[in-house]
């Protein structure tokens, strides 16, 4: 059973193995399929139409399933690897070790936002951006530029305190835990982190940046934390909701998994705390 | 947060193209309203041209911004109508845009940050592209 750890606690070997597995998936072409899938959902999920991956109740179970699939691909390369999570309330500066040259590399240079340090720098020849919205083939970041501050622990706690999972109209206008966590409403947690990183992370092809997985792993952990705090609060809606994935509806693109199947993560992995 | 973003947008505008500095100001002002994490857009309700549910679409535009030709106009049919009935191009290439339930807008290059209207959204995309061309992405 994989144990997902806080990235700040990884050993040098664990970091190296994680990075190597990412580079191997990139080389084989499997990595870019995940980028393409994510972008297809982000472009088609809409507030007034069918919505599965984002701006809807299934944001959390959809990304949980997406991360499990990605983690399985990593483990096919190296069975010792598990997804780490990035607690951006704690490791919140541009000089945090997550951005070190031995892990994800740092922010982009000012001229063109190109990441030039670490294993995902363009000059390594191992991390070309192939699934893109524009013509630039290199990883970009502008840490802390478009928005200055990452969410604080107090802001996270204020969202974890919300007792209702989601509410009508089940989209970016909803109140409740899911939409406040996703960030279309309220203090803005998940969305703000994408914007803080900038570069591809601010776009529909955000999984081009490996930090995508560490960010969403923490979002996934916050969902698990919320479930533990509110054991009697169910996934909503329970059924018969147009354009929205109800508890027992299957989710695209897998079509064989429902939110109900994703409620208990411990069948797939556990967290270190 | 908002004034920080405003200043940054203006600074980038002047750095990229001196001629674009004046143009950058209204864009930055519009963007400031929507800077994350502030997500309260109640002030936009009922503003003509900002509210997709009022029956009036957003204002069309056709201008040069930072040396890029940007066009926004109502779109009929296809997936663009589904996403708010408005189509945007930068130098003739489609920028995928979408309207949120509260009337704000996002694009594929700024997908987690909302903007008051398609013009502000498009100018922000030009800033972010730094001269790069949009490329079509195959959708399922
Ligand atoms: Cu996503
Ligand atoms: Cu995300």
């Amino acid at each position: 059973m994989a144990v997902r750890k806080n990235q700040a606690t990884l050993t040098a070997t664990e970091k190296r193995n994680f990075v190597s597995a990412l580079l191997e998936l990139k080389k084989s072409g499997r990595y870019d399929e995940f980028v393409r899938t994510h972008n297809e959902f982000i472009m088609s999920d809409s507030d007034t139409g069918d919505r599965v991956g984002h701006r809807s109740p299934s944001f959390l179970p959809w990304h949980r399933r997406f991360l499990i699939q990605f983690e399985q691909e990593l483990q096919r390369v190296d069975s010792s690897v598990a997804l780490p999570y990035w607690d951006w309330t704690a490791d919140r500066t541009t000089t945090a070790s997550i951005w070190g040259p031995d892990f994800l590399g740092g922010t982009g240079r000012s001229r063109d936002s190109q990441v030039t340090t670490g294993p995902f720098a363009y000059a390594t020849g191992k991390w070309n951006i192939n699934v893109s919205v524009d013509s630039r083939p290199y990883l970009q970041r502008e840490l802390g530029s478009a928005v200055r501050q990452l969410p604080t622990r107090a802001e996270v706690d204020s969202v974890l305190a919300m007792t209702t999972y989601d509410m009508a109209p089940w989209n970016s206008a909803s109140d409740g835990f899911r939409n406040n966590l996703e960030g279309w409403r309220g203090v803005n947690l998940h969305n703000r982190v994408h914007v803080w990183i900038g570069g591809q992370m601010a776009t529909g092809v955000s999984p081009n940046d490996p930090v995508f997985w560490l960010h969403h792993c923490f979002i996934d952990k916050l969902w698990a934390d919320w479930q533990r705090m509110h054991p009697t609060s169910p996934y909503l809606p329970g059924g018969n909701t147009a354009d929205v994935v109800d508890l027992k509806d299957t989710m695209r693109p897998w079509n064989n998994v429902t939110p109900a199947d994703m409620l208990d993560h411990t069948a797939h992995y556990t967290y270190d705390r | 947060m908002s004034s920080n973003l405003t200043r940054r947008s203006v600074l980038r505008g002047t750095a990229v193209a001196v001629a674009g500095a004046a143009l950058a100001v209204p864009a930055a002002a519009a963007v400031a309203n929507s800077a994350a994490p502030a997500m309260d857009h109640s002030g936009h309700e009922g503003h003509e041209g900002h509210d997709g549910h009022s029956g009036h679409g957003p204002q069309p535009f056709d201008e040069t911004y930072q040396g890029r030709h940007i066009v926004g106009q109502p779109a009929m049919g296809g997936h663009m109508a589904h996403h708010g009935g408005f189509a945007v191009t930068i130098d003739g290439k489609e920028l995928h845009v979408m309207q949120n339930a509260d009337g704000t807008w996002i694009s594929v290059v700024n997908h987690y940050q909302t903007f008051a209207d398609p013009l502000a959204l498009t100018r922000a995309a030009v800033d972010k592209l730094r001269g790069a061309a949009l490329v079509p992405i195959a959708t399922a």
Side-chain angles (χ1 to χ4, degrees):
Chain A
M1 175 80 65
V3 179
R4 293 183 175 179
K5 299 177 186 170
N6 186 324
Q7 61 80 28
T9 70
L10 296 184
T11 65
T13 304
E14 286 171 329
K15 286 185 185 181
R16 204 162 45 233
N17 291 344
F18 178 64
V19 167
S20 299
L22 286 169
L23 295 176
E24 185 56 36
L25 286 190
K26 183 72 171 176
K27 195 164 85 181
S28 72
R30 278 297 288 132
Y31 192 97
D32 287 345
E33 289 175 35
F34 284 87
V35 183
R36 194 173 287 111
T37 296
H38 187 268
N39 188 60
E40 284 169 5
F41 276 83
I42 222 167
M43 285 172 64
S44 66
D45 295 326
S46 82
D47 279 339
T48 53
D50 202 28
R51 46 197 185 275
V52 179
H54 306 86
R55 56 180 67 237
S56 60
S58 47
F59 168 69
L60 291 169
W62 190 92
H63 283 82
R64 176 164 284 176
R65 182 67 185 82
F66 192 59
L67 262 62
I68 288 171
Q69 188 177 7
F70 185 75
E71 190 173 50
Q72 286 170 346
E73 291 289 341
L74 290 173
Q75 289 167 347
R76 214 163 285 174
V77 176
D78 181 343
S79 60
S80 78
V81 169
L83 284 180
Y85 63 88
W86 170 35
D87 178 351
W88 24 254
T89 70
D91 301 301
R92 50 187 299 108
T93 66
T94 58
T95 53
S97 64
I98 186 174
W99 309 115
D102 61 334
F103 201 29
L104 301 190
T107 194
R109 63 186 180 192
S110 58
R111 171 153 52 97
D112 58 4
S113 316
Q114 182 175 162
V115 171
T116 58
T117 57
F120 309 102
Y122 185 63
T124 63
K126 293 180 175 172
W127 203 260
N128 291 14
I129 303 302
N130 305 311
V131 181
S132 184
V133 296
D134 65 58
S135 54
R136 290 172 288 180
Y138 49 84
L139 181 63
Q140 306 148 34
R141 287 184 195 133
E142 296 180 277
L143 301 184
S145 167
V147 59
R148 192 179 295 176
Q149 297 291 344
L150 287 163
T152 63
R153 186 67 225 184
E155 288 172 325
V156 165
D157 288 341
S158 73
V159 172
L160 287 176
M162 296 175 176
T163 53
T164 305
Y165 177 77
D166 206 348
M167 298 185 198
W170 320 109
N171 63 17
S172 75
S174 292
D175 202 350
F177 170 69
R178 187 275 309 168
N179 196 37
N180 278 274
L181 178 62
E182 188 170 0
W184 300 111
R185 183 186 185 110
V187 295
N188 188 354
L189 301 180
H190 154 270
N191 282 354
R192 198 202 319 181
V193 176
H194 277 275
V195 174
W196 186 89
I197 295 164
Q200 280 89 1
M201 265 297 272
T203 75
V205 294
S206 46
N208 271 307
D209 191 330
V211 78
F212 173 92
W213 309 104
L214 285 76
H215 173 35
H216 270 278
C217 193
F218 187 54
I219 294 295
D220 185 82
K221 182 179 185 299
L222 292 178
W223 184 25
D225 293 344
W226 177 86
Q227 287 175 307
R228 209 165 39 208
M229 291 171 66
H230 307 280
T232 59
S233 294
Y235 176 93
L236 294 171
N240 299 311
T241 316
D243 294 329
V244 169
V245 182
D246 295 310
L247 177 65
K248 290 177 179 166
D249 291 346
T250 57
M251 295 185 286
R252 290 183 291 112
W254 308 285
N255 298 321
N256 63 356
V257 60
T258 68
D261 298 329
M262 286 290 107
L263 297 182
D264 180 10
H265 70 282
T266 61
H268 307 276
Y269 53 86
T270 56
Y271 282 107
D272 57 356
R273 54 176 287 271
Chain B
M1 206 83 68
S2 293
S3 62
N4 177 45
L5 182 65
T6 303
R7 209 169 303 118
R8 244 168 237 288
S9 300
V10 174
L11 283 174
R12 183 178 297 164
T14 52
V16 171
V18 173
L23 282 172
V25 174
V31 168
N33 266 331
S34 58
M39 296 296 293
D40 179 8
H41 298 285
S42 53
H44 299 306
E45 292 300 321
H47 281 207
E48 199 169 352
H50 287 193
D51 185 355
H53 304 292
S54 68
H56 303 279
Q59 290 298 315
F61 55 88
D62 182 337
E63 66 175 40
T64 299
Y65 173 73
Q66 306 291 354
R68 311 292 296 266
H69 183 208
I70 60 174
V71 178
Q73 57 198 355
M76 297 302 159
H79 74 278
M80 284 180 287
H82 179 63
H83 287 328
F86 205 78
V88 170
T89 58
I90 299 176
D91 290 340
K93 306 271 178 49
E94 184 195 346
L95 174 69
H96 187 270
V97 301
M98 190 190 292
Q99 189 170 32
N100 297 314
D102 68 356
T104 60
W105 294 78
I106 55 170
S107 81
V108 75
V109 301
N110 290 98
H111 216 288
Y112 303 91
Q113 186 179 5
T114 60
F115 293 82
D117 56 50
L119 178 57
L121 180 72
T122 306
R123 286 171 170 171
V126 167
D127 289 340
K128 193 161 192 298
L129 285 168
R130 300 199 188 197
L134 290 169
V135 295
I137 312 168
T139 50

